[in-house]
Amino acid sequence: MEPASLENLCVLYHSANYIVVNKHWDIRIDSKMWYEKQTVQSQLKHRFPELADPGTYYGFRFCHQLDFSTSGALCVALNKAAAGQAYRCFKDRLVTKAYLALVRGTVAEEKMTLEFAIGKNTTEGKTHMMCTEGTEGCENPKPCQTELTVLEYGEYDGDPVTKVLLQPLTGRTHQLRVHCSAIGHPIVGDYTYSLRTDDAPYRMMLHAYFLHIPLEHEPIHVTAPDPFVPTLDSKWEPRRCVNVLEDLLKNILTKPQMEIQEEPEPVNKKSSPVESEEQQAQCQQWLCEWNLD
C-alpha cells in the first residue's frame, strides 16, 4: 500500500447516510494535536468538504474505532440520525466484524475460542497497554471472547507465521492483540505486545477485513481487500492453505452472534454505575459528537 496521504483515501461504500473507508495502516482516525496533519478525518474533509458537519469537533462521526496501526473497514456516519442508528447496533452487539492477521509461529489448533478476560495494565511503564486477568497490575478485567481460525501456514521474511481470521465477540481495547499475545502468537509487527521486540516489519499485520452492520433500512455489508497476499508483500510466503476465507465468511454470516455474559455490577452501592467503563467511554464520545438538542 502506498504511503498515507490526504489524497489516497479508499472509499468502499458511500450513501447519503454513511461512508465506509479502507483505513490506511499508518494513519490515525482523528487527533486533537495540531501537528497531526494526516488523519482519516482530514482525508474525509479533503475528499468530501461538503459533507463535513461544523457542529461536530472532527467534522465526521466515526461509528467505531480502529487502532493507529490497524488497517481496514471503518464506518463513518454523515448525520445525527445515522450515527444513532449505528450506535444502537454496536451497543446491542448486532454488528459482525472479522479481521485478518499474520501471527508469529505455527498455531497448532485450526480453530480456537480465546476467552481471556482483559483489563487495564497499571504497571509502571505499561499503562498504555491492556493485559489478561492474573497478570500483575491488571485492573478491572472484563470477560472477552475471540474466535480464531487458521487460514494458511507460511513464512514472513523467513520466519514461521500463521495467517488467521479473528472474529471478536466482544469489543475490548486491544482485544485481538492481547488475545494473540496471550496464546504465544503475537501479531507480526505488534511492537507493543511483543514487548518491543518485533520492530522489523513495516507495519502491524492486522486488518479489519469484514464489517456487517444490520441497519433496518440500510444494512451495510463491506469487505476491505486482503493486504496479506504475496503480490502486495513479497516477504509473506504462504506454504499450506487450511481454510478458504470466502467459505468462512459465509459461515460467519449464517451463525447467530453469541451472547457474552458479563459479571453483574454490584448493587449494594447507590453510586454504582449502570454501564461499564468501556460503555461509558463510548457513550461519552458519541454524546460529544452528536451535540444533541
Side-chain angles (χ1 to χ4, degrees), residues 34-276:
W34 63 268
Y35 52 83
E36 294 270 15
K37 302 298 183 183
Q38 291 191 155
T39 62
V40 177
Q41 165 220 353
S42 59
Q43 287 181 322
L44 287 166
K45 282 187 175 181
H46 181 77
R47 175 79 69 87
F48 305 106
E50 72 283 1
L51 299 180
D53 186 347
T56 65
Y57 187 90
Y58 293 114
F60 294 90
R61 299 172 174 87
F62 295 99
C63 298
H64 56 115
Q65 295 290 315
L66 290 179
D67 289 346
F68 168 70
S69 300
T70 303
S71 59
L74 175 67
C75 185
V76 183
L78 298 178
N79 54 69
K80 292 179 185 178
Q85 292 165 12
Y87 170 69
R88 282 189 288 274
C89 287
F90 278 94
K91 189 172 187 295
D92 294 339
R93 292 182 179 169
L94 301 176
V95 176
T96 302
K97 295 185 286 184
Y99 292 70
L100 294 173
L102 297 181
V103 300
R104 293 290 180 186
T106 301
V107 179
E109 296 184 45
E110 182 181 323
K111 294 181 182 292
M112 304 173 66
T113 299
L114 311 179
E115 298 183 292
F116 302 96
I118 293 176
K120 296 180 180 178
N121 196 329
T122 61
T123 303
E124 185 177 355
K126 296 183 179 180
T127 54
H128 60 294
M129 301 171 64
M130 305 297 284
C131 55
T132 56
E133 187 175 20
T135 303
E136 183 179 356
C138 189
E139 181 181 88
N140 196 26
K142 296 289 186 179
C144 296
Q145 283 193 3
T146 301
E147 291 193 347
L148 180 153
T149 306
V150 172
L151 294 170
E152 294 177 292
Y153 295 113
E155 296 181 351
Y156 189 84
D157 202 16
D159 295 321
V161 299
T162 306
K163 185 174 182 177
V164 298
L165 182 72
L166 300 169
Q167 186 184 1
L169 303 182
T170 49
R172 307 300 180 207
T173 301
H174 297 178
Q175 176 176 321
L176 302 181
R177 300 165 64 185
V178 173
H179 272 177
C180 288
S181 178
I183 61 171
H185 297 286
I187 295 172
V188 174
D190 190 346
Y191 182 72
T192 299
Y193 289 100
S194 66
L195 301 180
R196 302 181 178 182
T197 60
D198 198 352
D199 58 356
Y202 71 97
R203 62 162 291 181
M204 182 176 70
M205 306 298 177
L206 180 62
H207 178 72
Y209 175 71
F210 175 75
L211 177 65
H212 174 61
I213 307 177
L215 298 159
E216 183 177 358
H217 301 294
E218 187 185 346
I220 294 176
H221 182 113
V222 175
T223 57
D226 179 3
F228 308 135
V229 293
T231 53
L232 296 177
D233 189 346
S234 60
K235 292 185 177 181
W236 160 235
E237 299 180 49
R239 302 297 189 191
R240 180 164 68 92
C241 179
V242 179
N243 287 288
V244 178
L245 180 57
E246 290 73 16
D247 294 340
L248 292 178
L249 274 186
K250 292 177 184 177
N251 293 335
I252 288 175
L253 285 173
T254 57
K255 183 174 62 176
Q257 288 284 87
M258 294 177 60
E259 184 66 25
I260 311 301
Q261 297 295 328
E262 299 194 12
E263 296 179 3
E265 296 287 341
V267 295
N268 58 337
K269 295 182 180 181
K270 293 182 180 181
S271 59
S272 297
V274 177
E275 295 183 314
S276 68

